[in-house]
């Protein structure tokens, strides 16, 4: 059973690792912008919708399902059953991720030209596809670790992944440059694969030390766990895949709509690179804290729900959402004051500073939404999660196709703010309804 102490301890461990990892990644993005230029960073950012879509299919739903099922089985004293769930999930996610590797490598040129709108992305897609099986293994083991309240394993693997990725890219960049050649942005894509490989190796070793796998269970037990795992993961995967597909359409359409606004291809890609590779990472940097809270909140809510303790569940939700809201308001004020300075000093870009000023207003909603959506998933209301996310994305996509051709990138920023406001309102409504205690039915007393 998750207690307030274990929730805070787990969140603290993940927050510390997340902040260090975000700090490393933040300066790494500064390095990328200086080393390869805004246009190359924009090209690099274009491949992430495809990568995120593959991850959502092969890992996202399974990780959440493993975390929830493990928490439930451990709270019921069924530790071997929890290990069996992980075994099944690893088999499923490896099959899916290997199929994705083959699909991407055989169709990289077509995906780059027709979907991303730039044939130069083909080579980047082939390189980044090698990260998918490693990410699959890493993701399932992290889900299991969250379920058994061992957050130090995901925290350490996150730091190892980031460290390996940065060292790989920086060292190879310096080596290639010293040989007199011009380094390519493909190094950054290769760094993702290197980081995921290092993280998968580490998490696998930590898992083997715990020996979670006992003897093979009976076929009926395997069949039952598989059905339960699929019943939880398939809706989550479908929801995440649909949401990620919409996000991919959104991301791929931004440079095209900027060209409709009047920018040439190079300027459109550079603007996209400044937004997604500079301004947004700056805004998202403090979300390492809220992501940690959301990650440990999901199994905590599931455990409280399984125990029938709605009072504890409501108390967890209030503390988590209140903390995230306070952080969001504080960060909003900070970015409004120092946004221009951050863009100029860190990225040598006044455009990045302007974007940070506008994006500052989404902080209270964005950070609070992380906790709210994790809690909804913990309650098992994945359909509501899907509908809320799709509604928010449709607002953002409307900003892309309707506002960008008329107002430029500023129109998209307005749409992003509106979407976060809508998501917050819908998520809060769902949780308030779920947390409301049901009124007992009283039978009418005898008539006198």
């Amino acid at each position: 059973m998750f207690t307030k102490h274990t929730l805070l301890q787990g969140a603290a461990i993940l927050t510390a690792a997340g902040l260090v990892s975000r700090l490393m990644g933040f300066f790494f993005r500064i390095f990328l912008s200086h080393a390869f230029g805004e246009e190359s960073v924009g090209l690099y950012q274009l491949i992430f919708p495809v990568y995120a879509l593959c991850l959502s299919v092969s890992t996202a739903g399974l990780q959440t399902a493993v975390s929830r099922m493990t928490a439930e089985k451990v709270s019921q004293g069924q530790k071997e059953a929890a290990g069996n769930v992980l075994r099944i999930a690893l088999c499923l996610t490896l099959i899916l991720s290997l199929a994705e590797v083959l699909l991407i490598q055989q169709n990289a040129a077509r995906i780059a030209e027709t979907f991303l709108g730039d044939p130069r992305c083909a080579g980047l897609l082939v390189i980044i596809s090698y990260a998918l099986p490693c990410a699959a293994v890493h993701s399932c083991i992290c889900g299991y670790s969250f379920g058994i309240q061992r957050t130090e394993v995901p925290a350490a693997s996150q730091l190892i992944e980031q460290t390996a990725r940065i060292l790989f890219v920086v060292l190879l960049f310096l080596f290639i440059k010293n040989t007199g050649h011009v380094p390519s942005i493909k190094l950054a894509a290769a760094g993702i694969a290197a980081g995921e490989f290092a993280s998968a190796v580490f998490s696998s070793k930590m898992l083997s030390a715990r020996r979670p796998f006992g003897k093979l269970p009976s076929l009926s037990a395997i069949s039952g766990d598989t059905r339960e795992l699929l019943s939880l993961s398939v809706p989550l995967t479908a929801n995440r895949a649909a949401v990620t597909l919409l996000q991919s359409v959104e991301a791929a359409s931004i440079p095209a709509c900027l060209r409709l606004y009047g920018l040439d291809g190079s300027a459109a890609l550079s603007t996209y690179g400044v937004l997604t590779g500079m301004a947004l990472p700056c805004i998202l940097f403090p979300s390492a804290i809220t992501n940690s809270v959301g990650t440990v909140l999901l199994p905590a809510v599931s455990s409280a729900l399984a125990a029938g303790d709605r009072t504890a569940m409501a108390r967890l939700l209030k503390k988590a959402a209140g903390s995230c809201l306070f952080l969001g308001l504080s960060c909003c004020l900070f970015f409004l004051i120092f946004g221009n300075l951050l863009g100029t000093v860190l990225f040598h870009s006044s455009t990045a500073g302007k974007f940070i000023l506008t994006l500052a207003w989404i902080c209270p909603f964005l950070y609070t939404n992380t906790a709210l959506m994790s809690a909804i998933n913990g309650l098992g209301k994945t359909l509501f999660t899907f509908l809320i996310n799709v509604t928010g994305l449709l607002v953002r996509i409307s900003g892309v196709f309707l506002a960008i051709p008329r107002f430029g990138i500023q129109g998209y920023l307005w749409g992003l703010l509106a979407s976060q406001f809508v998501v917050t309102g819908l998520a809060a409504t769902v949780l308030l309804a779920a947390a409301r205690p049901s009124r007992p039915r009283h039978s009418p007393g005898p008539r006198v």
Side-chain angles (χ1 to χ4, degrees), residues 28 104 207:
F28 180 59
I104 289 177
L207 179 69

Side-chain angles (χ1 to χ4, degrees), residues 327-391:
L327 177 66
L329 291 171
S330 302
C331 290
C332 175
L333 181 61
F334 175 81
F335 288 128
L336 287 174
I337 296 174
F338 298 105
N340 277 325
L341 182 64
L342 290 173
T344 304
V345 173
L346 296 179
F347 301 106
H348 301 166
S349 172
S350 59
T351 304
K354 294 177 182 178
F355 290 169
I356 291 171
L357 283 179
T358 304
L359 290 170
W361 295 103
I362 75 172
C363 290
F365 308 106
L366 179 66
Y367 299 168
T368 306
N369 289 343
T370 303
L372 298 182
M373 300 303 283
S374 293
I376 293 175
N377 279 333
L379 293 171
K381 298 181 178 294
T382 53
L383 177 60
F384 285 102
T385 303
F386 172 69
L387 294 175
I388 292 170
N389 283 329
V390 167
T391 302

Side-chain angles (χ1 to χ4, degrees), residues 39-215:
E39 185 176 358
S40 293
V41 171
L43 193 68
Y44 170 66
Q45 292 294 133
L46 269 180
I47 66 173
F48 278 96
V50 177
Y51 183 61
L53 180 60
C54 291
L55 287 179
S56 67
V57 172
S58 61
T59 67
L62 281 170
Q63 179 183 1
T64 304
V66 168
S67 176
R68 184 178 176 189
M69 287 183 64
T70 300
E72 291 177 354
K73 292 185 181 297
V74 169
S75 67
Q76 297 166 1
Q78 303 176 14
K79 293 184 178 180
E80 287 191 3
N84 185 47
V85 168
L86 175 60
R87 191 190 336 239
I88 296 169
L90 283 171
C91 293
L92 291 174
T93 192
L94 279 173
I95 292 172
L96 289 171
S97 60
L98 290 173
E100 289 171 343
V101 172
L102 294 176
L103 182 64
I104 289 177
Q105 295 194 359
Q106 292 177 358
N107 300 277
R110 186 180 306 172
I111 295 172
E113 189 168 357
T114 60
F115 183 66
L116 300 180
D118 198 315
R120 292 176 293 175
C121 291
L124 297 174
L125 289 173
V126 172
I127 293 171
I128 205 173
S129 68
Y130 290 107
L132 292 172
C134 299
V137 172
H138 170 219
S139 176
C140 279
I141 296 176
C142 285
Y144 175 80
S145 300
F146 289 134
I148 62 173
Q149 306 179 36
R150 292 294 303 273
T151 54
E152 64 272 15
V153 175
S157 64
Q158 181 182 11
L159 291 176
I160 288 173
E161 186 272 330
Q162 190 75 288
T163 302
R165 176 161 67 110
I166 294 173
L167 287 177
F168 180 88
V169 175
V170 173
L171 293 178
L172 269 184
F173 175 85
L174 295 175
F175 174 77
I176 293 173
K177 200 166 186 180
N178 287 335
T179 61
H181 296 83
V182 178
S184 168
I185 192 65
K186 290 181 179 179
L187 277 179
I192 294 175
E196 287 292 352
F197 175 77
S199 181
V201 170
F202 169 79
S203 56
S204 298
K205 286 189 175 181
M206 295 300 294
L207 179 69
S208 63
R210 291 191 59 84
R211 301 182 183 274
F213 306 126
K215 61 181 182 179

